[in-house]
Amino acid sequence: MAAHDAWALICRLFAGGTPVLRATLSSREASVLSVLGKAVKPTVVDQSFVLCPHCQQHRAQVWGDGRGGRMCRCPDCGPVAVEANDGAALTLDEDWLRQKMRLALGIESRDGIDDLGDGVWRLGDARRSPVLLARDLARVLHEPALLDRVRVGSGDIRVITPKPSTPRGSPFGAGVEWMALEDRFTFYGGGITLIGAPPSATPVVIDPATPVNGPFSTDFRWATLPDVQTTPIQFTDGQSRVLGALWSFKGEATTAERIMQRAGLDSAKPSDLFKIKAKDKGKPGPAAQHAAYGALVVTQQRAGLYAMPCAAAGKEVAMT
């Protein structure tokens, strides 16, 4: 069971791509840190904001208490003392992951690892089949040129990614094999082992834009708003964090400060992320993002409050 929990934590850290506070780990995740060895390592994160040590629900700004200690002010708990270990964080050693994945797949050591950018790597060739490791399946689905860059003749390509939240069939056509990181590999003996395919595996089709949270996809990167655009609207990482933060308040009118703290961003107000820059004027993507924000968010300018009415009946999501 420890190996299963250890691998689940590795996959979560890889999919996230950012350090996590030790305080946010579940008891099962914390219990396997000693098993993981070199797979994870301590790291330094911005100490100007911490997750509230009391409720662990809100990110709050830290300041000195004038007596050598530190405090934060949680919107729910009020002033809370911050200890040194409240900012302790860890991260996945992704070089370790990529090297162990190469060993598990039998990739020859003479093949180097190519960083293709934005969370995609070519690990090398396994039995003459190029292998891509990606942090997000949607990244590969929406940029098929990545496959063309590594394709060798008519040979097959293997794409390895964490499982998305809404599997709906085979994501690729013939010649591309998708391998779910969580299902096809596991942590064993300090390394990574390839697991054989299930005898009657059923292909799954993935549509990352499928509405899960009201009009939003599970990661708030997409919104389906037929009145704004006939096709799903894709958002940037910052925009998706703002929308997820607004959704988490379940329709309650909230100050810009609380929203941006929960989103983990430094902008003054949510609308900053949706302004159309001069260089983007006339482009359909930024215009659709701006229109979507206007359709989804109600602003009380005099009071400085923001609300997302469609989230009133939604389920609160945890922001990381």
Side-chain angles (χ1 to χ4, degrees):
M1 198 64 179
H4 173 79
D5 292 337
W7 182 239
L9 178 57
I10 288 174
C11 293
R12 180 166 85 85
L13 292 174
F14 175 68
T18 56
V20 298
L21 294 172
R22 289 183 65 110
T24 65
L25 297 179
S26 67
S27 57
R28 293 178 66 170
E29 289 174 331
S31 68
V32 299
L33 292 180
S34 60
V35 177
L36 287 172
K38 296 180 179 179
V40 295
K41 55 187 179 182
T43 189
V44 177
V45 295
D46 182 8
Q47 295 291 304
S48 58
F49 285 86
V50 298
L51 198 66
C52 173
H54 183 68
C55 68
Q56 296 186 1
Q57 296 296 315
H58 306 287
R59 293 183 78 247
Q61 189 171 9
V62 177
W63 74 90
D65 62 3
R67 301 186 298 275
R70 297 190 305 159
M71 301 285 294
C72 72
R73 181 176 294 277
C74 173
D76 288 343
C77 307
V80 179
V82 177
E83 304 294 339
N85 61 357
D86 291 326
L90 55 86
T91 188
L92 175 67
D93 186 337
E94 295 194 355
D95 287 334
W96 173 93
L97 175 69
R98 290 188 285 270
Q99 293 296 339
K100 296 300 183 182
M101 290 288 291
R102 281 163 54 89
L103 289 174
L105 291 161
I107 296 175
E108 297 292 339
S109 59
R110 64 174 177 271
D111 293 334
I113 297 175
D114 298 322
D115 187 347
L116 303 184
D118 294 332
V120 182
W121 296 266
R122 180 182 179 275
L123 296 182
D125 294 343
R127 296 182 180 179
R128 300 184 180 179
S129 294
V131 179
L132 288 185
L133 173 66
R135 204 182 306 282
D136 184 357
L137 177 60
R139 166 89 166 87
V140 186
L141 283 173
H142 293 286
E143 192 173 342
L146 286 170
L147 302 178
D148 295 333
R149 289 172 60 182
V150 302
R151 193 182 302 277
V152 179
S154 59
D156 291 345
I157 300 174
R158 295 183 184 180
V159 177
I160 305 168
T161 75
K163 288 193 301 185
S165 301
T166 54
R168 292 181 54 197
S170 179
F172 300 103
V176 181
E177 178 189 5
W178 175 59
M179 305 174 72
L181 187 66
E182 296 90 337
D183 297 341
R184 296 299 307 277
F185 300 87
T186 191
F187 182 76
Y188 179 77
I192 297 174
T193 299
L194 174 64
I195 300 173
S200 58
T202 302
V204 292
V205 175
I206 312 294
D207 183 359
T210 299
V212 175
N213 300 309
F216 299 106
S217 63
T218 185
D219 57 1
F220 294 90
R221 289 293 187 98
W222 299 84
T224 300
L225 299 169
D227 291 341
V228 175
Q229 182 172 286
T230 55
T231 57
I233 301 165
Q234 185 175 14
F235 300 104
T236 65
D237 176 67
Q239 290 171 343
S240 67
R241 293 187 69 84
V242 168
L243 295 170
L246 279 159
W247 178 269
S248 73
F249 289 106
K250 297 188 288 188
E252 172 191 350
T254 312
T255 64
E257 182 181 8
R258 289 190 67 190
I259 294 165
M260 302 314 291
Q261 282 185 354
R262 186 164 296 191
L265 299 171
D266 295 329
S267 299
K269 55 185 182 296
S271 58
D272 290 346
L273 279 293
F274 295 85
K275 292 179 179 177
I276 302 177
K277 299 178 181 178
K279 65 182 180 66
D280 292 329
K281 287 185 176 179
K283 295 182 180 179
Q289 293 163 355
H290 179 77
Y293 177 84
L296 292 164
V297 181
V298 173
T299 304
Q300 301 177 37
Q301 293 186 351
R302 188 178 297 274
L305 300 176
Y306 302 79
M308 182 179 282
C310 68
K315 180 180 180 182
E316 184 170 354
V317 294
M319 297 297 296
T320 57

